[in-house]
Amino acid sequence: MKKTIGSAVILIAVLGASLSGASAAEKAAESTRDVRTIELRFKRLLDLANKHDINGIHAMFWQSPFALLVAKSAVPSEGEWAGFWGNDAIDQKLHDIADSGPVVLKPDLSRLKVVTLSSNIAQSYDPLEITVSYAGQDGTPKPFLMIMTWKKISGDWKVASEIILPVPAKAPKA
């Protein structure tokens, strides 16, 4: 009897290990697909931004009062950079920026990184150059970082947050 129970325990352990291995491989494949999908969605978002297609960008965002865009502010009481929460505020900010004149986002796609944090949350990071004349900016291309959180909703990856940060100028060497 002890030998049979011992054999059964070993068999269960072996079966469990083989099943979890298949599950891990499936999860890795799904994660790889998700990363590729987000890379394509990121490129699409930048294409829409360069075309000033606010409606197209709106459709890419998570429709929630918790959706967030961090961008340059034109309102002194908000500080130089501020968070804009919810789709109405995000849409208004994007309209204001687009209406200020040419806006060109030039990503460094060779440095785009996407990390899945769970089956429905991921983050992307990409350095890019932005040319814009909004809120006192002079239309000179400048370096920024774009950090995004993506949320999978009904099988589709949506932008939950987009944080655009200026890269400080390098101090001259003494």
Side-chain angles (χ1 to χ4, degrees):
M1 179 78 161
K2 284 185 180 179
K3 190 173 185 179
T4 305
I5 292 174
S7 297
V9 168
I10 291 171
L11 179 61
I12 290 169
V14 169
L15 286 173
S18 66
L19 289 175
S20 67
S23 178
E26 289 171 3
K27 286 180 183 178
E30 181 178 349
S31 179
T32 299
R33 280 190 304 274
D34 287 340
V35 166
R36 183 67 184 133
T37 298
I38 292 168
E39 289 171 347
L40 293 171
R41 303 274 300 155
F42 178 83
K43 291 174 191 174
R44 175 77 179 133
L45 181 73
L46 293 183
D47 287 342
L48 293 169
N50 285 329
K51 293 176 184 173
H52 294 201
D53 185 345
I54 306 305
N55 292 331
I57 295 170
H58 174 89
M60 291 191 70
F61 266 82
W62 175 34
Q63 300 304 301
S64 168
F66 301 109
L68 170 65
L69 172 69
V70 174
K72 178 84 168 141
S73 175
V75 179
S77 64
E78 293 175 337
E80 284 195 51
W81 294 82
F84 301 90
W85 292 92
N87 303 100
D88 291 342
I90 291 169
D91 290 349
Q92 185 60 56
K93 175 53 61 181
L94 293 175
H95 275 289
D96 292 348
I97 293 169
D99 289 347
S100 72
V103 178
V104 179
L105 288 80
K106 185 179 172 189
D108 182 351
L109 295 174
S110 71
R111 295 175 62 191
L112 173 62
K113 299 291 182 204
V114 177
V115 177
T116 54
L117 302 175
S118 71
S119 62
N120 65 343
I121 300 291
Q123 286 189 321
S124 64
Y125 163 94
D126 193 54
L128 68 160
E129 190 174 83
I130 301 178
T131 303
V132 64
S133 298
Y134 177 74
Q137 296 172 92
D138 64 8
T140 302
K142 293 192 173 97
F144 288 82
L145 297 176
M146 185 176 279
I147 303 161
M148 301 174 76
T149 302
W150 299 83
K151 181 175 178 64
K152 190 186 271 187
I153 301 168
S154 301
D156 191 17
W157 286 99
K158 298 290 187 176
V159 177
S161 70
E162 177 179 311
I163 301 172
I164 303 167
L165 297 175
V167 174
K170 292 180 182 178
K173 293 185 179 184

